Amino acid sequence: MAETTADPIRFSAGPAQLRRSPLEHLAPALATTEHSLGVALREIPFTIQIGLRAAPGSAAHEALAEATGVGLPMRTSEVAGDPGSVAVLWLGPDEFLLIGPEDGQPLLKDLRRGLGDLPGQVVDLSANRTIIAVEGEQARDLLEKGVPVDLHPRSFGPGQAVTTLLGPVPVLLWQTGEQSYRVLPRASFADYTARWLLDAAREHHR
Amino acid sequence: MMLIHCPYCGPRNETEFHYGGQAHVPYPHDPEALSDAEWAQFLFYRENTKGLFRERWVHSVGCRKWFNALRDTVTYEFKAVYPIGAAIPTPEQAEGAGA
Ligand SMILES: [Zn+2]
């Protein structure tokens, strides 16, 4: 008779209790960077992420811009809104990613209602990417080891985001403050990306 | 490292792009009517230009948009980039643009 390992309490709990973030298993390792000399890493799990598509200048674009409450970014590296509540990142001329709080379901409904039958797209992509916060004096130094985009303040700063690479991994890179960045790898790349960052951060450890 | 000007994102590292071969190769209007030789010609035969060449590129890890470029295959210099569907710049126009 096989040993029963399932925990009945976990099974009876709702989906919110059962879910695991892509970097849950690395939380202790990430936490060790908290007291490092210049850079701290942590996961920001379970944000709502909504893919939006609409051609600029179209009625759909206008409807979605209104429904987000913060508009839509108009050109490369622009971000509408702010990281504390709802932000919309520019992915392409007609493609955007809204990132919001965990309880963003009403916003998803508003966006779907706003778009209606117009030619465009509102898709819940929340499980697609997780967020790794990279913060501290050495945050830029660390990211520059693997990001081909120029992160010097003369060409990149707070409130900007780009789709690019971190090492070999396609990521969204979003600067949220003078010394704060967010890296968004797809969930299946999260483990590798986090370990890449942990390795790159080793020189800053006490 | 070479910078390529995406028409939507501006100058970005070449590692973010992929090459898509010769541009402006029209899909046959009536593929059924083609002989095997003509079909093979469409599928496999491309110019192998030494000098200015019109080609397709995609900003794969950026905005994921396809665009056209006029590039010198000898020097690798991009003379112009232009969105799919936009008018083809002449070499003279491209010379001024300096993409
Ligand atoms: Zn681009």
Side-chain angles (χ1 to χ4, degrees):
Chain A
M1 196 55 199
E3 200 184 334
T4 308
T5 53
D7 175 352
I9 295 168
R10 273 190 89 86
F11 273 126
S12 62
Q17 278 70 49
L18 291 170
R19 67 186 178 177
R20 299 282 185 89
S21 72
L23 292 176
E24 192 181 286
H25 63 297
L26 284 181
L30 294 173
T32 62
T33 63
E34 206 178 307
H35 305 293
S36 73
L37 293 177
V39 63
L41 305 169
R42 70 191 157 88
E43 184 187 22
I44 304 173
F46 307 130
T47 57
I48 192 165
Q49 295 175 31
I50 306 172
L52 305 173
R53 296 204 72 161
S58 67
H61 190 276
E62 213 170 291
L64 288 180
E66 178 159 353
T68 64
V70 295
L72 291 173
M74 290 308 291
R75 56 191 64 79
T76 182
S77 81
E78 262 185 24
V79 177
D82 78 272
S85 52
V86 170
V88 187
L89 280 56
W90 187 97
L91 305 188
D94 56 2
E95 187 175 13
F96 316 90
L97 184 68
L98 182 146
I99 301 174
E102 211 176 304
D103 53 357
Q105 290 302 322
L107 184 55
L108 182 62
K109 282 204 187 84
D110 287 349
L111 286 159
R112 286 196 171 131
R113 201 176 305 121
L115 182 65
D117 291 333
L118 295 169
Q121 212 174 55
V122 175
V123 185
D124 186 353
L125 300 175
S126 302
N128 186 29
R129 295 175 188 270
T130 191
I131 302 180
I132 307 170
V134 182
E135 293 164 333
E137 258 168 72
Q138 305 297 324
R140 174 159 72 93
D141 188 55
L142 180 146
L143 291 169
E144 279 172 342
K145 294 180 189 182
V147 175
V149 171
D150 184 4
L151 299 181
H152 191 278
R154 78 181 153 239
S155 59
F156 199 76
Q160 287 188 287
V162 282
T163 316
T164 184
L165 296 167
L166 176 69
V169 182
V171 296
L172 297 180
L173 178 68
W174 177 17
Q175 186 169 356
T176 51
E178 290 298 335
Q179 299 179 347
S180 321
Y181 298 83
R182 290 182 185 181
V183 175
L184 288 80
R186 293 201 171 84
S188 54
F189 289 100
D191 176 83
Y192 177 90
T193 309
R195 290 179 195 277
W196 191 100
L197 288 166
L198 281 167
D199 180 60
R202 279 177 68 185
E203 65 169 305
H204 304 298
H205 264 227
R206 262 190 241 279
Chain B
M1 197 61 88
M2 187 167 67
L3 292 177
I4 297 175
H5 283 240
C6 169
Y8 307 102
C9 304
R12 300 285 283 268
N13 197 298
E14 63 172 302
T15 55
E16 295 189 357
F17 296 83
H18 279 101
Y19 182 63
Q22 184 179 347
H24 309 297
V25 179
Y27 190 79
H29 280 298
D30 187 5
E32 299 282 338
L34 264 52
S35 68
D36 285 354
E38 287 168 329
W39 181 242
Q41 189 74 29
F42 163 70
L43 279 187
F44 304 119
Y45 286 72
R46 294 295 182 267
E47 300 296 325
N48 186 19
T49 307
K50 183 178 182 182
L52 290 182
F53 191 46
R54 300 183 189 287
E55 46 196 27
R56 299 181 304 176
W57 284 80
V58 60
H59 192 187
S60 350
V61 302
C63 63
R64 303 191 297 162
K65 291 290 180 192
W66 284 91
F67 61 92
N68 292 321
L70 180 63
R71 186 178 65 101
D72 191 322
T73 60
V74 177
T75 62
Y76 278 38
E77 188 187 351
F78 280 73
K79 298 291 191 181
V81 293
Y82 52 104
I84 299 287
I88 303 173
T90 64
E92 296 74 43
Q93 285 171 334
E95 208 55 60

